[in-house]
Amino acid sequence: MPTPAELTDWDLRHFWHSFTQMSEYEPMVIERAEGSWLVDVHGRRYLDGVSSLWCNLLGHRHPRIEAAIVEQLGKLPHATTLGMSNVPAVELSRRLAELAPGELNRVFYASDGSCAVEAALKIAFQYWLQCPTPRQGKTKYLAYDSAYHGDTLGSTAVGGIERFHALYKPLLFDVLRLPPPDARLGDASHHLALLERALHRHHEEVAALVIEPLLQGAAGMVLQPPGYLRGVRELTRRYDVLLIADEIVTGFCRTGRMFACEHEGVTPDLLCLGKSITSGTLPLAATIASDEIYAAFLGDYASGCTFHHGHTYAGNPLAAAAACATLDVIADERVLEETVPRLAEKMARVLAPLRDHAHVADVRQMGTIAGVELCSDRDGGIAYPANQRHGYRVAKQATSQGVWLRPLGDVVVVMPPLSINDAELELLGHVLRESIDAICQ
Ligand SMILES: *Cc1c(COP(=O)(O)O)cnc(C)c1O
């Protein structure tokens, strides 16, 4: 076994971490985890305040998910899904189709959320070429400023976070943009009027609109006004534009429904899922298409209407078994009915005192997803200069106190695994408050 010192050294020398400025990276090498806690190679324990980047739904090392993976490992770790199938992926497909709203019945797999979005973009484009009344001109997408849909080139193109995406502009296809549907900037009718204007002008060239329903995650857990998503569905339908719902953050109970679209009774044409789908155990993502979309891809092989797209590990049986077990636990442990409402209410209570803090501009919460936005002066509505990195420093301070947080700019995300208990949540709230007090002046 390598020593902790060796691991730390090799980490620094050879491991290039995602979204990390490596010149300032301080190694934190995790060796194991249990429930809501991560344990590093030195035996230091950290409360996982962001569900290992929003994917660990039910807590680390959930025995039922672990058992399902181990059982599957003894049968079939992997076989391709190009032209053949495997048992857990078949079962998962049936169950996702049953859970997804409306006629979303056809499940296409990938291993990362970005690739689920990428598939949705290509499916939408190809649909318009192959549907009963083809529309050659529909080659563009409508997307939002501040959106985040992943880091492959297509998903980057529909993203709208300057800090992540601006640099790559020369590589990206053009996207028609709308301002973020932020509830603070206007109500549903205000934002819907902007959308209608864009659709009125451009609908003939737009294949699909891409949206993170109800909240923009990476923008800083920014909430949308009630009624907006429903209006988006009505307008996209009226103007013959497909609706791609990116529920990679919001899917699987986090917002209080299985999928966020259900809050507004909306069925998108394509639904992208990832992150919580295996409760943070194995990489898996899915794009679920409606029967109508799927039908446009059926025909003689020679007609060329096949979806020529896919990934080597798509529909991996271990990951699919983990996803099936996640769905079992959600149903059997009454996660949607009991765990989520209870935790959401407790999170609201723990975060409430921060609303009065002189350096907190806003506390936003939807179900078990929350963001605490820091500011220089709450009453004057003044943000901190971004380069002072208050969010980063607050999270670092919290980590030094045993609570692992990772911010989005000056928004500190609070999104613990659903396994978190009252005492752990109190600890998280306490450490967050002390960290804000220590860093923000
Ligand atoms: C994380 C995320 C993605 C990308 O998923 P990856 O698995 O990281 O590729 C896409 N969309 C949203 C809304 C996300 O939060």
Side-chain angles (χ1 to χ4, degrees):
M1 261 295 281
T3 64
E6 282 173 326
L7 288 163
T8 300
D9 182 47
W10 298 340
D11 186 23
L12 272 177
R13 277 174 198 277
H14 300 298
F15 192 164
W16 189 348
H17 293 263
S18 323
F19 280 103
T20 300
Q21 177 41 256
M22 295 306 294
S23 71
E24 64 183 26
Y25 170 68
E26 291 167 19
M28 174 171 166
V29 184
I30 302 301
E31 184 183 67
R32 58 203 154 82
E34 199 174 308
S36 306
W37 294 84
L38 301 165
V39 186
D40 76 7
V41 287
H42 304 284
R44 287 190 288 248
R45 292 163 59 78
Y46 304 92
L47 185 60
D48 185 350
V50 292
S51 299
S52 290
L53 243 299
W54 321 348
C55 69
N56 194 294
L57 183 68
L58 301 165
H60 295 273
R61 305 214 50 205
H62 193 290
R64 287 184 65 186
I65 299 173
E66 223 168 74
I69 296 169
V70 170
E71 192 189 335
Q72 184 57 36
L73 188 60
K75 294 179 186 162
L76 174 71
H78 185 67
T80 184
T81 53
L82 279 63
M84 69 166 161
S85 209
N86 68 70
V87 175
V90 171
E91 188 192 334
L92 180 62
S93 307
R94 181 191 63 80
R95 293 178 70 171
L96 289 175
E98 204 171 279
L99 289 169
E103 302 302 305
L104 292 170
N105 287 321
R106 309 290 175 163
V107 186
F108 187 89
Y109 292 105
S111 300
D112 289 286
S114 308
C115 296
V117 172
E118 205 78 21
L121 295 173
K122 284 174 76 175
I123 291 170
F125 164 79
Q126 194 171 340
Y127 167 80
W128 288 113
L129 299 178
Q130 300 175 181
C131 66
T133 43
R135 308 274 289 275
Q136 309 282 344
K138 284 185 170 286
T139 60
K140 293 210 168 120
Y141 302 91
L142 199 49
Y144 295 90
D145 287 337
S146 306
Y148 179 81
H149 299 291
D151 293 323
T152 55
L153 287 176
S155 59
T156 299
V158 289
I161 297 183
E162 283 294 302
R163 187 160 31 100
F164 302 162
H165 301 138
L167 176 75
Y168 301 104
K169 282 229 168 82
L171 305 180
L172 307 175
F173 52 77
D174 266 346
V175 168
L176 299 164
R177 297 228 161 259
L178 292 160
D182 183 337
R184 294 168 299 180
L185 301 178
D187 62 6
S189 61
H190 163 80
H191 289 293
L192 289 168
L194 297 177
L195 173 61
E196 175 141 34
R197 198 178 317 155
L199 286 170
H200 187 73
R201 281 179 62 181
H202 298 290
H203 65 99
E204 283 178 3
E205 41 178 341
V206 176
L209 176 145
V210 192
I211 188 169
E212 296 163 84
L214 297 209
L215 75 110
Q216 285 188 324
M221 304 307 172
V222 175
L223 306 178
Q224 294 159 21
Y228 181 67
L229 185 67
R230 193 176 312 125
V232 169
R233 175 68 285 190
E234 284 163 15
L235 286 172
T236 48
R237 200 164 267 141
R238 193 180 318 149
Y239 283 94
D240 267 347
V241 164
L242 299 181
L243 179 60
I244 299 174
D246 175 352
E247 292 228 27
I248 291 161
V249 175
T250 51
F252 300 100
C253 309
R254 279 283 180 189
T255 67
R257 307 293 289 262
M258 183 58 83
F259 304 113
C261 285
E262 295 172 34
H263 288 278
E264 304 238 330
V266 160
T267 303
D269 299 291
L270 291 153
L271 174 64
C272 302
L273 302 173
K275 292 204 167 104
S276 301
I277 191 169
T278 63
S279 191
T281 55
L282 287 164
L284 184 71
T287 306
I288 313 185
S290 68
D291 291 332
E292 187 185 337
I293 303 268
Y294 179 77
F297 289 77
L298 300 178
D300 285 344
Y301 183 80
S303 70
C305 65
T306 306
F307 188 40
H308 288 289
H309 177 101
H311 303 284
T312 305
Y313 284 97
N316 171 261
L318 293 173
C324 288
T326 300
L327 294 177
D328 287 339
V329 174
I330 288 173
D332 296 350
E333 295 186 3
R334 299 184 58 75
V335 166
L336 210 42
E337 297 81 357
E338 287 168 21
T339 317
V340 167
R342 203 167 50 214
L343 177 57
E345 194 250 287
K346 275 187 213 137
M347 279 173 63
R349 202 147 15 97
V350 164
L351 296 176
L354 287 173
R355 290 181 190 277
D356 301 324
H357 198 288
H359 295 293
V360 172
D362 196 12
V363 177
R364 296 185 283 274
Q365 187 183 340
M366 170 101 214
T368 61
I369 304 173
V372 176
E373 185 163 339
L374 307 173
C375 66
S376 165
D377 173 7
R378 186 173 59 127
D379 299 325
I382 304 167
Y384 284 118
N387 62 8
Q388 291 182 2
R389 303 176 78 200
H390 280 78
Y392 172 81
R393 285 157 56 206
V394 165
K396 217 162 133 74
Q397 173 68 18
T399 303
S400 76
Q401 301 304 304
V403 174
W404 187 66
L405 296 171
R406 185 162 167 104
L408 300 156
D410 280 345
V411 178
V412 181
V413 175
V414 177
M415 189 168 167
L418 304 184
S419 57
I420 196 166
N421 66 29
D422 289 6
E424 291 162 342
L425 192 59
E426 294 287 343
L427 173 70
L428 194 164
H430 174 75
V431 168
L432 174 55
R433 188 181 186 98
E434 299 235 299
S435 302
I436 295 173
D437 287 341
I439 299 297
C440 296
Q441 266 112 45

